[in-house]
Amino acid sequence: MKKYLLVIALLLPSIASAASDIVVKESAHDVQQTMDRIVSLLQKNDVQVFARIDHKRNAAEVGMTLGDSQLLIFGKPQAGTRIMLNDMAAGLELPMKILVYTAPDGVTRVTYRNPQWLKKDYALDECVVLGKLETTLDNLTSEAVK
């Protein structure tokens, strides 16, 4: 029994840490409006939008039902390149993504991964771009959900 408790105690920090990498914010708008606001803010900041995926529509096309959910894939090559110059393998995680969806409780939520999580899997401890990207994503999503 003590062995199991020790294993659980050792695993809890990594489980909590993984969960804290995901940022979730409630939006005052529906999915479409929230995503439109995010796209507009990105475009004003010269950030490229590579794709906007409508999960609900895609599910309907195969005869399945899914709540409202859209994924945005976006990035700024100047930032992404700087990240990849530190560790080319980090390109696996780029460009950035934001998911906007209607949760089961009816609330629209915006979620994304804090870019600092990349330091866990890649040699990016000295990459200052991640801090700037973290601030930018926080400011952008906070503005979009108002």
Side-chain angles (χ1 to χ4, degrees):
M1 181 66 162
K2 286 183 182 179
K3 234 185 224 185
Y4 294 118
L5 291 175
L6 178 60
V7 169
I8 291 170
L10 291 173
L11 288 176
L12 280 177
S14 63
I15 293 168
S17 175
S20 67
D21 292 339
I22 305 296
V23 178
V24 180
K25 298 180 181 182
E26 290 186 6
S27 178
H29 313 283
D30 67 19
V31 170
Q32 185 71 35
Q33 292 168 325
T34 302
M35 191 60 86
D36 288 346
R37 291 169 64 90
I38 292 170
V39 168
S40 177
L41 290 164
L42 287 170
Q43 290 172 337
K44 286 179 186 174
N45 288 289
D46 298 319
V47 177
Q48 288 181 270
V49 172
F50 299 112
R52 182 171 175 170
I53 300 164
D54 187 331
H55 292 305
K56 180 179 180 177
R57 185 181 68 226
N58 290 342
E61 289 175 1
V62 295
M64 299 177 76
T65 302
L66 186 66
D68 208 359
S69 174
Q70 293 184 25
L71 177 73
L72 191 68
I73 301 171
F74 62 96
K76 197 165 191 171
Q78 297 91 328
T81 301
R82 286 188 179 100
I83 293 168
M84 291 173 63
L85 286 171
N86 284 271
D87 188 339
M88 187 64 84
L92 180 63
E93 313 300 340
L94 301 172
M96 302 300 297
K97 296 174 260 332
I98 292 176
L99 178 69
V100 180
Y101 64 97
T102 303
D105 61 5
V107 175
T108 301
R109 293 207 167 81
V110 174
T111 187
Y112 62 92
R113 289 193 89 168
N114 181 327
Q116 296 289 350
W117 81 271
L118 291 166
K119 291 180 179 179
K120 294 177 185 174
D121 292 333
Y122 303 98
L124 297 172
D125 287 336
E126 306 299 319
C127 185
V128 297
V129 173
L130 296 178
K132 293 177 183 177
L133 188 52
E134 177 183 20
T135 301
T136 299
L137 284 171
D138 181 49
N139 291 342
L140 175 121
T141 54
S142 292
E143 179 66 25
V145 300
K146 286 185 191 176

